[in-house]
Amino acid sequence: MFTTARKPDSVGQILKEEFLGPLGLTQGDLADATGLPRKHINELCNDRRAVTVDTAFILAEAFGTSEGFWLNLQAMSDRWGALNDPQRAARIARARPIRRRETAPSEPHA
């Protein structure tokens, strides 16, 4: 499993630093352009809301990116969080591979 000590940039960081700031947009401007509630945009920007597939498509349309760009950012943050939070990592570590059970040979069909 790939792990890194450096926390990846969050969706909120990328949204603010690579899109809103350089384009001179406010969160309100983005809300107006996307039809998303201002609270939704604020929660995304402040990492209190995760990007859903629907939101990824909306952001992709607004900024001319792919939805995968936003979903991959979210997935990288989610993976890092799961592996770097001791409680979550311990919970994940308890999982074991499922082995196929041996079954008795079946009777031939007539």
Side-chain angles (χ1 to χ4, degrees):
M1 186 178 303
F2 176 76
T3 61
T4 179
R6 182 184 169 277
K7 183 177 182 180
D9 291 338
S10 68
V11 170
Q13 287 174 288
I14 297 296
L15 195 52
K16 291 186 294 189
E17 295 171 12
E18 302 294 330
F19 291 92
L20 296 182
L23 293 172
L25 298 172
T26 65
Q27 292 179 19
D29 294 333
L30 183 57
D32 292 343
T34 60
L36 294 170
R38 288 176 187 238
K39 181 178 180 181
H40 187 115
I41 298 297
N42 182 265
E43 289 172 346
L44 283 172
C45 287
N46 291 297
D47 299 321
R48 291 192 308 263
R49 177 185 289 264
V51 169
T52 63
V53 173
D54 291 0
T55 302
F57 274 103
I58 292 168
L59 292 173
E61 183 67 28
F63 293 117
T65 64
S66 69
E67 74 284 353
F69 172 79
W70 299 102
L71 293 171
N72 285 333
L73 285 173
Q74 186 65 56
M76 286 188 300
S77 291
D78 291 347
R79 281 192 299 266
W80 191 91
L83 296 173
N84 289 280
D85 177 286
Q87 288 179 324
R88 292 172 72 187
R91 183 170 177 238
I92 292 165
R94 290 193 304 257
R96 298 288 173 250
I98 297 173
R99 308 241 187 266
R100 182 175 223 155
R101 292 185 186 160
E102 294 295 323
T103 58
S106 61
E107 298 272 334
H109 295 283

